[in-house]
Amino acid sequence: MTRPITRSLSLSAVRKDAATLSAVESVGGRRVYKFRASDGDFDRYSDRLNVKGWRVDGYNANGVVLFNHDDGAEAASSGAEPQLPIGKGRVYVEGDALMVDVEFDDEDEFAKRVERKVSKGILNAVSVRYLMLPGQYRQNERGGYDCDAQELLEVSIVTIPGNARAVRAKSFEDEGEDIVERIAERVVELLDARAEAKSTDDEDEEPEAADEPEPETKEAPSDAPKPDDEEEDEEDFNAPDAAKRFVEAFKGYIRGVKQ
């Protein structure tokens, strides 16, 4: 009968297709960071884990997130002060990967330091500690194990991941807002160029000499728009303000699409 095997598998980092953060996504005013924690390919242990074989109910019932797998065991033997959890996590299978949503404890100073480094991309990886279930694994051609079922024990933010593919997954809001900002900057440039070109054209125009007297015209109604109105409207047009309104409207549209 095969015995259970426990691994600490460092896996996660930022998915570029997904955004300052987001993966930071704002969920009810909370900052939630999304990580890709495991997939079905070989990891650095030469193991392959069946993505559909993850047992996560136990973890989700008490989803603590640690730093570098520090669960306090070493501190208990050395007498040092144990490192408390830095946040909470929720794991789930999405497509071909095990995903982890991490929310940091914003009342813990160390946790806030870790979160700042995650948000800056300095810390970008998570590691999962798991138990290969008895009778559910076998040795593969690389000397590791192919596992059909494994129980997730713990998730950590780590400095060095055990799997090169494991990175934080960005949501659209991170990179999406950056894209919107760049679009807005380009809009401002184009509007400024248009205004400058129109100003140059107006300077080049010269009134034609009138050889004949102007035909008598009736006075325009008092409520009719004056010729200067359009020019005043254009003079009042502020390209940066227009771009700012565009950005806010576009962001609102994106958030509506995502919901």
Side-chain angles (χ1 to χ4, degrees):
M1 179 178 177
T2 57
R3 297 178 293 106
I5 296 177
T6 302
R7 298 281 207 209
S8 292
L9 177 61
S10 298
L11 278 178
S12 226
V14 174
R15 189 175 58 193
K16 302 255 183 218
D17 62 353
T20 334
L21 276 175
S22 263
V24 170
E25 294 182 355
S26 179
V27 179
R30 300 176 291 112
R31 296 180 304 279
V32 178
Y33 299 79
K34 185 175 183 179
F35 292 82
R36 179 185 179 92
S38 178
D39 57 26
D41 274 339
F42 286 104
D43 58 41
R44 288 174 178 167
Y45 290 110
S46 293
D47 295 336
R48 280 185 299 196
L49 307 176
N50 182 353
V51 174
K52 303 299 183 183
W54 281 103
R55 306 291 188 262
V56 301
D57 289 347
Y59 175 81
N60 281 334
N62 183 41
V64 296
V65 175
L66 306 179
F67 182 71
N68 278 339
H69 298 293
D70 186 353
D71 58 7
E74 185 176 343
S77 60
S78 65
E81 184 177 352
Q83 175 64 54
L84 295 174
I86 60 175
K88 61 182 181 180
R90 182 182 69 88
V91 296
Y92 52 94
V93 172
E94 182 177 272
D96 62 350
L98 179 73
M99 308 300 293
V100 180
D101 288 349
V102 175
E103 180 183 352
F104 291 94
D105 182 0
D106 59 8
E107 295 183 359
D108 181 276
E109 288 302 320
F110 180 72
K112 289 196 291 186
R113 288 168 56 196
V114 174
E115 180 181 3
R116 283 196 296 270
K117 293 186 182 298
V118 169
S119 67
K120 292 180 179 180
I122 297 172
L123 285 174
N124 206 32
V126 300
S127 172
V128 294
R129 185 186 302 176
Y130 59 94
L131 181 70
M132 292 186 184
L133 299 180
Q136 298 295 319
Y137 62 90
R138 58 205 171 278
Q139 197 159 22
N140 60 41
E141 66 274 19
R142 292 193 182 182
Y145 294 95
D146 288 342
C147 188
D148 296 324
Q150 55 282 332
E151 180 183 0
L152 180 64
L153 303 177
E154 173 256 309
V155 176
S156 282
I157 303 293
V158 294
T159 51
I160 302 175
N163 186 305
R165 297 176 303 279
V167 295
R168 189 181 122 231
K170 280 191 174 182
S171 77
F172 180 79
E173 193 167 331
D174 284 330
E175 291 183 349
E177 291 197 3
D178 181 59
I179 292 172
V180 173
E181 296 290 348
R182 293 202 300 270
I183 292 174
E185 290 176 2
R186 182 56 178 157
V187 169
V188 171
E189 292 174 1
L190 292 173
L191 290 173
D192 285 344
R194 174 177 171 272
E196 183 177 350
K198 186 178 186 309
S199 176
T200 302
D201 291 342
D202 289 344
E203 291 176 358
D204 292 341
E205 289 180 0
E206 295 182 0
E208 296 181 359
D211 296 334
E212 298 179 0
E214 294 278 344
E216 184 178 348
T217 58
K218 294 183 180 180
E219 184 177 350
S222 58
D223 58 346
K226 298 179 181 179
D228 292 340
D229 286 350
E230 294 182 2
E231 294 180 7
E232 290 175 358
D233 288 342
E234 292 184 2
E235 289 176 0
D236 291 340
F237 179 77
N238 186 299
D241 285 348
K244 183 178 180 181
R245 291 195 296 271
F246 160 76
V247 170
E248 294 306 318
F250 196 19
K251 286 180 180 178
Y253 169 75
I254 292 171
R255 294 189 183 99
V257 170
K258 288 173 59 180
Q259 292 176 351

